[in-house]
Amino acid sequence: MEEKINFRLKMEKELSLIEKEIISGRQPPKLLLHGCCAPCSSYVLEYLNRFFRITSFYYNPNISEAEEYDKRVKELQRLINELPVINKVSMLEGRYDTLEFDEAVAGLEKLGERSSRCYACYELRLRETAAVASREGFDYFTTTLSISPYKDAKWINEIGERVGREYNVKYLYADFKKKNGYKRSIELSNEYGLYRQNYCGCKYSKAESLKEDNNNDSRT
């Protein structure tokens, strides 16, 4: 039987070490946090900002429509401007080229959600985050993706660990949905009136979401 890893516990152990260093007088380390959207980033920023100097990295070429992409960028920036934090949070927008996503999932287009198509998408975004973190001298990198109950935390952390080794930058293990993280993200989304979506952003997830909505309508 495959051993089940508690990624939340791994993160908390690392944060405990970081907290001791901060108490001893060291500056909080720099974290490049890949953010998929404002709702998913809300709890993560609230929770992690006392341990890190965070830069929210918005790199999401999976979002198929430019209008949707722009809406999510602006909403994340608004959240960062309004959220009370101990250590100031900044934002860095990556390049937006949907061809990068198309190339990453080539041959996997007909697979459904939570398939290897999603794995390829996670890797695309985490690899770019690791590359930027390494190039810009960040101490850690991670992603908000694991806050979603629809995302596979094992896959996300497996990829993060691997690309972190490749780019020689430390990956912060996480499963942000645990300990009511997902619940808190919904509370914060309501508190700040954040724009929420019912699909991850890619054209395939949008089509599947619309199909599910139509099926639900036909059953009512």
Side-chain angles (χ1 to χ4, degrees):
M1 182 181 293
E2 185 179 5
E3 180 184 2
K4 190 171 182 179
I5 301 172
N6 187 328
F7 295 108
R8 176 77 188 207
L9 182 59
K10 285 174 74 73
M11 177 184 70
E12 288 175 349
K13 287 179 178 178
E14 188 70 20
L15 294 181
S16 179
L17 294 174
I18 291 170
E19 187 171 38
K20 288 177 183 176
E21 291 185 348
I22 294 172
I23 291 171
S24 72
R26 293 191 180 183
Q27 262 200 322
K30 294 191 297 181
L31 170 71
L32 188 64
L33 173 66
H34 168 260
C36 54
C37 62
C40 289
S41 298
S42 59
Y43 164 72
V44 180
L45 290 172
E46 179 186 67
Y47 178 65
L48 291 183
N49 85 89
R50 70 188 178 96
F51 301 101
F52 297 100
R53 289 172 287 159
I54 300 174
T55 296
S56 178
F57 180 50
Y58 193 81
Y59 172 70
N60 297 292
N62 57 303
I63 299 175
S64 57
E65 299 169 8
E67 183 179 357
E68 178 72 17
Y69 175 91
D70 290 340
K71 189 181 291 188
R72 296 191 193 194
V73 169
K74 290 173 182 174
E75 199 70 338
L76 179 55
Q77 186 63 71
R78 179 173 74 84
L79 172 68
I80 289 170
N81 291 340
E82 296 180 7
L83 190 70
V85 292
I86 295 170
N87 295 302
K88 189 177 185 318
V89 177
S90 59
M91 182 172 169
L92 174 64
E93 185 178 350
R95 62 184 177 273
Y96 178 51
D97 183 353
T98 57
L99 287 177
E100 293 182 359
F101 171 73
D102 291 338
E103 290 171 0
V105 302
L108 307 172
E109 296 90 343
K110 293 183 180 180
L111 300 180
E113 289 292 281
R114 306 188 203 186
S115 68
S116 53
R117 185 186 71 210
C118 295
Y119 187 99
C121 182
Y122 302 159
E123 179 158 0
L124 171 67
R125 291 185 279 174
L126 275 163
R127 179 173 294 280
E128 179 66 10
T129 307
V132 172
S134 177
R135 185 174 67 243
E136 300 298 328
F138 284 85
D139 302 295
Y140 291 83
F141 77 100
T142 195
T143 178
T144 62
L145 287 169
S146 69
I147 199 166
S148 170
Y150 305 104
K151 301 288 190 295
D152 191 314
K154 180 177 178 295
W155 282 0
I156 293 164
N157 285 280
E158 172 189 291
I159 295 165
E161 180 183 50
R162 173 163 49 79
V163 298
R165 285 197 304 267
E166 290 179 29
Y167 288 93
N168 196 30
V169 60
K170 199 163 188 177
Y171 173 71
L172 182 69
Y173 295 94
D175 191 350
F176 291 116
K177 72 177 73 65
K178 297 288 184 67
K179 294 194 174 179
N180 292 318
Y182 178 64
K183 179 175 179 287
R184 179 58 179 157
S185 75
I186 294 174
E187 292 172 353
L188 287 167
S189 294
N190 291 333
E191 181 180 340
Y192 287 91
L194 297 177
Y195 167 64
R196 292 181 64 87
Q197 318 81 23
N198 63 351
Y199 70 103
C200 79
C202 79
K203 52 194 169 188
Y204 308 111
S205 66
K206 183 176 183 179
E208 289 173 32
S209 177
L210 289 172
K211 182 179 179 181
E212 185 176 331
D213 288 345
N214 290 335
N215 289 338
N216 288 338
D217 291 342
S218 67
R219 288 196 287 266
T220 59

